[in-house]
Amino acid sequence: MFEARMAQAALLKKVLEAVKDLVTDANWDCTSAGISLQAMDSSHVSLVSLLMRKDGFDMYRCDRPISLGINIASMTKIMKCANNNDAVTLRAEDEGDTVVFTFESADQEKVSEFEMKLMDIDSEHLGIPEREHTATVKMPASEFHGICRDLSTIGETVQVSVTKEGVQFTASGDTGKGTITLRNNSSVDEESQQVVITMQEELSLSFALRYLNFFTKATALADSVTLSMTADLPLVVEYRIEDTGYIRYFLAPKIDD
Amino acid sequence: TPIQNELLEYYALV
């Protein structure tokens, strides 16, 4: 038996928002530690990795590991039936082929139950080693969102350059060129507004803005985002979900022909 | 134009 209850439907809605443009179907892997999901987009260029540890739930029970194969669009439709303040419980039998969503209103006067059929999904799981990166940039999530949106009006590719001076995002296209530079401002009082750059050596990498724009759908989940970069390796874009998990996106770099 | 690499060039399927 798997059963997990979270106090606010809003959180699960935000998680789905952050996943649905990248992934059609995905296995939600539930263990006694929590829920995780790893899925690549259909072109195998990017990957989303979600972790929601059990301590982020009001109630969590997972008798044995279970993978819930879920069509993200169907789950999104069901979650739209919940109010943001509703409590949500997910429930699945060990050998069952459905997952049940229960929404309870804050005043407990309304209870809705939706049953969704599970899918059999062949998951393509990638082994991604945890590693130190050459450069990391922590910045307000809304700032990163704005930069990706603004540079998309200029070109399809962004060059991210990290130097001692700061981090520079550059896009160029038929109509011209755009450059946005952020400087280290780790002295700003409010942590969520800080730009914190760590760097072992200068580097410059190019990425497709189309995917970065998908990643910024997670902006509502966290105040800050961290970009981790190493030459010739995929970019890691991480949004922390409070203190109980994260959503990480990986994007292979573009390499000059 | 830069070539878009795939993740499979960096990470193995497990």
Side-chain angles (χ1 to χ4, degrees), chain A residues 85-101:
Chain A
N85 292 329
D86 285 357
V88 187
T89 305
L90 280 67
R91 203 168 64 248
E93 301 292 337
D94 285 342
E95 304 296 334
D97 57 359
T98 59
V99 57
V100 176
F101 297 84

mmCIF file with all atom_site columns, all heavy atoms in Angstrom, chain A residues 85-101:
data_model
loop_
_atom_site.group_PDB
_atom_site.id
_atom_site.type_symbol
_atom_site.label_atom_id
_atom_site.label_alt_id
_atom_site.label_comp_id
_atom_site.label_asym_id
_atom_site.label_entity_id
_atom_site.label_seq_id
_atom_site.pdbx_PDB_ins_code
_atom_site.Cartn_x
_atom_site.Cartn_y
_atom_site.Cartn_z
_atom_site.occupancy
_atom_site.B_iso_or_equiv
_atom_site.pdbx_formal_charge
_atom_site.auth_seq_id
_atom_site.auth_comp_id
_atom_site.auth_asym_id
_atom_site.auth_atom_id
_atom_site.pdbx_PDB_model_num
ATOM 1   N N   . ASN A 1 85  ? -5.838 25.243 -1.684  1.00 0.00 ? 85  ASN A N   1
ATOM 2   C CA  . ASN A 1 85  ? -5.760 24.997 -0.234  1.00 0.00 ? 85  ASN A CA  1
ATOM 3   C C   . ASN A 1 85  ? -6.253 23.618 0.184   1.00 0.00 ? 85  ASN A C   1
ATOM 4   O O   . ASN A 1 85  ? -6.189 23.272 1.363   1.00 0.00 ? 85  ASN A O   1
ATOM 5   C CB  . ASN A 1 85  ? -6.575 26.049 0.533   1.00 0.00 ? 85  ASN A CB  1
ATOM 6   C CG  . ASN A 1 85  ? -5.939 27.409 0.422   1.00 0.00 ? 85  ASN A CG  1
ATOM 7   O OD1 . ASN A 1 85  ? -4.718 27.513 0.320   1.00 0.00 ? 85  ASN A OD1 1
ATOM 8   N ND2 . ASN A 1 85  ? -6.756 28.456 0.416   1.00 0.00 ? 85  ASN A ND2 1
ATOM 9   N N   . ASP A 1 86  ? -6.738 22.841 -0.770  1.00 0.00 ? 86  ASP A N   1
ATOM 10  C CA  . ASP A 1 86  ? -7.203 21.498 -0.422  1.00 0.00 ? 86  ASP A CA  1
ATOM 11  C C   . ASP A 1 86  ? -6.013 20.635 0.011   1.00 0.00 ? 86  ASP A C   1
ATOM 12  O O   . ASP A 1 86  ? -4.902 20.788 -0.502  1.00 0.00 ? 86  ASP A O   1
ATOM 13  C CB  . ASP A 1 86  ? -7.836 20.808 -1.643  1.00 0.00 ? 86  ASP A CB  1
ATOM 14  C CG  . ASP A 1 86  ? -9.219 21.345 -1.969  1.00 0.00 ? 86  ASP A CG  1
ATOM 15  O OD1 . ASP A 1 86  ? -9.719 22.209 -1.232  1.00 0.00 ? 86  ASP A OD1 1
ATOM 16  O OD2 . ASP A 1 86  ? -9.791 20.900 -2.989  1.00 0.00 ? 86  ASP A OD2 1
ATOM 17  N N   . ALA A 1 87  ? -6.291 19.716 0.912   1.00 0.00 ? 87  ALA A N   1
ATOM 18  C CA  . ALA A 1 87  ? -5.295 18.673 1.201   1.00 0.00 ? 87  ALA A CA  1
ATOM 19  C C   . ALA A 1 87  ? -5.470 17.581 0.143   1.00 0.00 ? 87  ALA A C   1
ATOM 20  O O   . ALA A 1 87  ? -6.583 17.319 -0.304  1.00 0.00 ? 87  ALA A O   1
ATOM 21  C CB  . ALA A 1 87  ? -5.527 18.104 2.592   1.00 0.00 ? 87  ALA A CB  1
ATOM 22  N N   . VAL A 1 88  ? -4.357 16.992 -0.279  1.00 0.00 ? 88  VAL A N   1
ATOM 23  C CA  . VAL A 1 88  ? -4.409 15.939 -1.312  1.00 0.00 ? 88  VAL A CA  1
ATOM 24  C C   . VAL A 1 88  ? -3.830 14.654 -0.755  1.00 0.00 ? 88  VAL A C   1
ATOM 25  O O   . VAL A 1 88  ? -2.759 14.668 -0.148  1.00 0.00 ? 88  VAL A O   1
ATOM 26  C CB  . VAL A 1 88  ? -3.523 16.306 -2.521  1.00 0.00 ? 88  VAL A CB  1
ATOM 27  C CG1 . VAL A 1 88  ? -3.723 15.294 -3.636  1.00 0.00 ? 88  VAL A CG1 1
ATOM 28  C CG2 . VAL A 1 88  ? -3.813 17.689 -3.001  1.00 0.00 ? 88  VAL A CG2 1
ATOM 29  N N   . THR A 1 89  ? -4.522 13.563 -0.993  1.00 0.00 ? 89  THR A N   1
ATOM 30  C CA  . THR A 1 89  ? -3.962 12.258 -0.650  1.00 0.00 ? 89  THR A CA  1
ATOM 31  C C   . THR A 1 89  ? -3.876 11.411 -1.913  1.00 0.00 ? 89  THR A C   1
ATOM 32  O O   . THR A 1 89  ? -4.826 11.339 -2.682  1.00 0.00 ? 89  THR A O   1
ATOM 33  C CB  . THR A 1 89  ? -4.843 11.534 0.398   1.00 0.00 ? 89  THR A CB  1
ATOM 34  O OG1 . THR A 1 89  ? -5.006 12.395 1.525   1.00 0.00 ? 89  THR A OG1 1
ATOM 35  C CG2 . THR A 1 89  ? -4.207 10.242 0.849   1.00 0.00 ? 89  THR A CG2 1
ATOM 36  N N   . LEU A 1 90  ? -2.716 10.818 -2.131  1.00 0.00 ? 90  LEU A N   1
ATOM 37  C CA  . LEU A 1 90  ? -2.516 9.874  -3.233  1.00 0.00 ? 90  LEU A CA  1
ATOM 38  C C   . LEU A 1 90  ? -2.504 8.487  -2.621  1.00 0.00 ? 90  LEU A C   1
ATOM 39  O O   . LEU A 1 90  ? -1.864 8.273  -1.584  1.00 0.00 ? 90  LEU A O   1
ATOM 40  C CB  . LEU A 1 90  ? -1.161 10.105 -3.919  1.00 0.00 ? 90  LEU A CB  1
ATOM 41  C CG  . LEU A 1 90  ? -1.018 11.245 -4.928  1.00 0.00 ? 90  LEU A CG  1
ATOM 42  C CD1 . LEU A 1 90  ? -1.156 12.586 -4.267  1.00 0.00 ? 90  LEU A CD1 1
ATOM 43  C CD2 . LEU A 1 90  ? 0.344  11.159 -5.607  1.00 0.00 ? 90  LEU A CD2 1
ATOM 44  N N   . ARG A 1 91  ? -3.198 7.562  -3.288  1.00 0.00 ? 91  ARG A N   1
ATOM 45  C CA  . ARG A 1 91  ? -3.288 6.215  -2.716  1.00 0.00 ? 91  ARG A CA  1
ATOM 46  C C   . ARG A 1 91  ? -3.228 5.176  -3.828  1.00 0.00 ? 91  ARG A C   1
ATOM 47  O O   . ARG A 1 91  ? -3.880 5.339  -4.870  1.00 0.00 ? 91  ARG A O   1
ATOM 48  C CB  . ARG A 1 91  ? -4.595 6.087  -1.935  1.00 0.00 ? 91  ARG A CB  1
ATOM 49  C CG  . ARG A 1 91  ? -4.584 5.017  -0.869  1.00 0.00 ? 91  ARG A CG  1
ATOM 50  C CD  . ARG A 1 91  ? -5.797 5.116  0.065   1.00 0.00 ? 91  ARG A CD  1
ATOM 51  N NE  . ARG A 1 91  ? -7.050 4.875  -0.632  1.00 0.00 ? 91  ARG A NE  1
ATOM 52  C CZ  . ARG A 1 91  ? -7.986 5.792  -0.852  1.00 0.00 ? 91  ARG A CZ  1
ATOM 53  N NH1 . ARG A 1 91  ? -7.825 7.032  -0.449  1.00 0.00 ? 91  ARG A NH1 1
ATOM 54  N NH2 . ARG A 1 91  ? -9.098 5.481  -1.483  1.00 0.00 ? 91  ARG A NH2 1
ATOM 55  N N   . ALA A 1 92  ? -2.408 4.149  -3.658  1.00 0.00 ? 92  ALA A N   1
ATOM 56  C CA  . ALA A 1 92  ? -2.335 3.072  -4.647  1.00 0.00 ? 92  ALA A CA  1
ATOM 57  C C   . ALA A 1 92  ? -2.103 1.754  -3.934  1.00 0.00 ? 92  ALA A C   1
ATOM 58  O O   . ALA A 1 92  ? -1.326 1.682  -2.979  1.00 0.00 ? 92  ALA A O   1
ATOM 59  C CB  . ALA A 1 92  ? -1.217 3.336  -5.643  1.00 0.00 ? 92  ALA A CB  1
ATOM 60  N N   . GLU A 1 93  ? -2.782 0.723  -4.414  1.00 0.00 ? 93  GLU A N   1
ATOM 61  C CA  . GLU A 1 93  ? -2.563 -0.625 -3.876  1.00 0.00 ? 93  GLU A CA  1
ATOM 62  C C   . GLU A 1 93  ? -1.287 -1.184 -4.496  1.00 0.00 ? 93  GLU A C   1
ATOM 63  O O   . GLU A 1 93  ? -0.929 -0.820 -5.615  1.00 0.00 ? 93  GLU A O   1
ATOM 64  C CB  . GLU A 1 93  ? -3.747 -1.540 -4.234  1.00 0.00 ? 93  GLU A CB  1
ATOM 65  C CG  . GLU A 1 93  ? -5.100 -1.068 -3.721  1.00 0.00 ? 93  GLU A CG  1
ATOM 66  C CD  . GLU A 1 93  ? -5.221 -1.138 -2.202  1.00 0.00 ? 93  GLU A CD  1
ATOM 67  O OE1 . GLU A 1 93  ? -4.471 -1.920 -1.581  1.00 0.00 ? 93  GLU A OE1 1
ATOM 68  O OE2 . GLU A 1 93  ? -6.041 -0.381 -1.647  1.00 0.00 ? 93  GLU A OE2 1
ATOM 69  N N   . ASP A 1 94  ? -0.638 -2.110 -3.792  1.00 0.00 ? 94  ASP A N   1
ATOM 70  C CA  . ASP A 1 94  ? 0.620  -2.672 -4.286  1.00 0.00 ? 94  ASP A CA  1
ATOM 71  C C   . ASP A 1 94  ? 0.497  -3.289 -5.676  1.00 0.00 ? 94  ASP A C   1
ATOM 72  O O   . ASP A 1 94  ? 1.345  -3.125 -6.525  1.00 0.00 ? 94  ASP A O   1
ATOM 73  C CB  . ASP A 1 94  ? 1.156  -3.724 -3.303  1.00 0.00 ? 94  ASP A CB  1
ATOM 74  C CG  . ASP A 1 94  ? 1.763  -3.044 -2.073  1.00 0.00 ? 94  ASP A CG  1
ATOM 75  O OD1 . ASP A 1 94  ? 2.061  -1.842 -2.165  1.00 0.00 ? 94  ASP A OD1 1
ATOM 76  O OD2 . ASP A 1 94  ? 1.918  -3.717 -1.045  1.00 0.00 ? 94  ASP A OD2 1
ATOM 77  N N   . GLU A 1 95  ? -0.556 -4.032 -5.896  1.00 0.00 ? 95  GLU A N   1
ATOM 78  C CA  . GLU A 1 95  ? -0.693 -4.710 -7.191  1.00 0.00 ? 95  GLU A CA  1
ATOM 79  C C   . GLU A 1 95  ? -1.763 -4.052 -8.056  1.00 0.00 ? 95  GLU A C   1
ATOM 80  O O   . GLU A 1 95  ? -2.209 -4.637 -9.045  1.00 0.00 ? 95  GLU A O   1
ATOM 81  C CB  . GLU A 1 95  ? -1.053 -6.201 -6.972  1.00 0.00 ? 95  GLU A CB  1
ATOM 82  C CG  . GLU A 1 95  ? -0.076 -6.976 -6.099  1.00 0.00 ? 95  GLU A CG  1
ATOM 83  C CD  . GLU A 1 95  ? 1.316  -7.100 -6.706  1.00 0.00 ? 95  GLU A CD  1
ATOM 84  O OE1 . GLU A 1 95  ? 1.428  -7.034 -7.952  1.00 0.00 ? 95  GLU A OE1 1
ATOM 85  O OE2 . GLU A 1 95  ? 2.286  -7.236 -5.933  1.00 0.00 ? 95  GLU A OE2 1
ATOM 86  N N   . GLY A 1 96  ? -2.179 -2.879 -7.690  1.00 0.00 ? 96  GLY A N   1
ATOM 87  C CA  . GLY A 1 96  ? -3.284 -2.237 -8.401  1.00 0.00 ? 96  GLY A CA  1
ATOM 88  C C   . GLY A 1 96  ? -2.857 -1.594 -9.717  1.00 0.00 ? 96  GLY A C   1
ATOM 89  O O   . GLY A 1 96  ? -1.670 -1.507 -10.017 1.00 0.00 ? 96  GLY A O   1
ATOM 90  N N   . ASP A 1 97  ? -3.861 -1.181 -10.485 1.00 0.00 ? 97  ASP A N   1
ATOM 91  C CA  . ASP A 1 97  ? -3.533 -0.489 -11.732 1.00 0.00 ? 97  ASP A CA  1
ATOM 92  C C   . ASP A 1 97  ? -4.152 0.901  -11.761 1.00 0.00 ? 97  ASP A C   1
ATOM 93  O O   . ASP A 1 97  ? -4.368 1.486  -12.814 1.00 0.00 ? 97  ASP A O   1
ATOM 94  C CB  . ASP A 1 97  ? -3.978 -1.312 -12.944 1.00 0.00 ? 97  ASP A CB  1
ATOM 95  C CG  . ASP A 1 97  ? -5.469 -1.614 -12.907 1.00 0.00 ? 97  ASP A CG  1
ATOM 96  O OD1 . ASP A 1 97  ? -6.134 -1.199 -11.932 1.00 0.00 ? 97  ASP A OD1 1
ATOM 97  O OD2 . ASP A 1 97  ? -5.961 -2.251 -13.849 1.00 0.00 ? 97  ASP A OD2 1
ATOM 98  N N   . THR A 1 98  ? -4.454 1.437  -10.574 1.00 0.00 ? 98  THR A N   1
ATOM 99  C CA  . THR A 1 98  ? -4.988 2.794  -10.493 1.00 0.00 ? 98  THR A CA  1
ATOM 100 C C   . THR A 1 98  ? -4.328 3.534  -9.320  1.00 0.00 ? 98  THR A C   1
ATOM 101 O O   . THR A 1 98  ? -3.755 2.924  -8.415  1.00 0.00 ? 98  THR A O   1
ATOM 102 C CB  . THR A 1 98  ? -6.518 2.805  -10.225 1.00 0.00 ? 98  THR A CB  1
ATOM 103 O OG1 . THR A 1 98  ? -6.771 2.132  -8.993  1.00 0.00 ? 98  THR A OG1 1
ATOM 104 C CG2 . THR A 1 98  ? -7.293 2.165  -11.358 1.00 0.00 ? 98  THR A CG2 1
ATOM 105 N N   . VAL A 1 99  ? -4.420 4.854  -9.411  1.00 0.00 ? 99  VAL A N   1
ATOM 106 C CA  . VAL A 1 99  ? -4.048 5.697  -8.267  1.00 0.00 ? 99  VAL A CA  1
ATOM 107 C C   . VAL A 1 99  ? -5.265 6.560  -7.966  1.00 0.00 ? 99  VAL A C   1
ATOM 108 O O   . VAL A 1 99  ? -5.982 6.981  -8.888  1.00 0.00 ? 99  VAL A O   1
ATOM 109 C CB  . VAL A 1 99  ? -2.785 6.549  -8.559  1.00 0.00 ? 99  VAL A CB  1
ATOM 110 C CG1 . VAL A 1 99  ? -2.954 7.424  -9.777  1.00 0.00 ? 99  VAL A CG1 1
ATOM 111 C CG2 . VAL A 1 99  ? -2.395 7.398  -7.348  1.00 0.00 ? 99  VAL A CG2 1
ATOM 112 N N   . VAL A 1 100 ? -5.535 6.744  -6.683  1.00 0.00 ? 100 VAL A N   1
ATOM 113 C CA  . VAL A 1 100 ? -6.701 7.523  -6.275  1.00 0.00 ? 100 VAL A CA  1
ATOM 114 C C   . VAL A 1 100 ? -6.231 8.832  -5.656  1.00 0.00 ? 100 VAL A C   1
ATOM 115 O O   . VAL A 1 100 ? -5.326 8.842  -4.807  1.00 0.00 ? 100 VAL A O   1
ATOM 116 C CB  . VAL A 1 100 ? -7.570 6.732  -5.261  1.00 0.00 ? 100 VAL A CB  1
ATOM 117 C CG1 . VAL A 1 100 ? -8.724 7.587  -4.756  1.00 0.00 ? 100 VAL A CG1 1
ATOM 118 C CG2 . VAL A 1 100 ? -8.097 5.445  -5.903  1.00 0.00 ? 100 VAL A CG2 1
ATOM 119 N N   . PHE A 1 101 ? -6.820 9.914  -6.135  1.00 0.00 ? 101 PHE A N   1
ATOM 120 C CA  . PHE A 1 101 ? -6.541 11.249 -5.587  1.00 0.00 ? 101 PHE A CA  1
ATOM 121 C C   . PHE A 1 101 ? -7.741 11.666 -4.747  1.00 0.00 ? 101 PHE A C   1
ATOM 122 O O   . PHE A 1 101 ? -8.871 11.647 -5.229  1.00 0.00 ? 101 PHE A O   1
ATOM 123 C CB  . PHE A 1 101 ? -6.381 12.283 -6.709  1.00 0.00 ? 101 PHE A CB  1
ATOM 124 C CG  . PHE A 1 101 ? -5.220 12.010 -7.623  1.00 0.00 ? 101 PHE A CG  1
ATOM 125 C CD1 . PHE A 1 101 ? -5.338 11.131 -8.686  1.00 0.00 ? 101 PHE A CD1 1
ATOM 126 C CD2 . PHE A 1 101 ? -4.004 12.656 -7.427  1.00 0.00 ? 101 PHE A CD2 1
ATOM 127 C CE1 . PHE A 1 101 ? -4.275 10.884 -9.537  1.00 0.00 ? 101 PHE A CE1 1
ATOM 128 C CE2 . PHE A 1 101 ? -2.930 12.409 -8.270  1.00 0.00 ? 101 PHE A CE2 1
ATOM 129 C CZ  . PHE A 1 101 ? -3.052 11.523 -9.324  1.00 0.00 ? 101 PHE A CZ  1
#
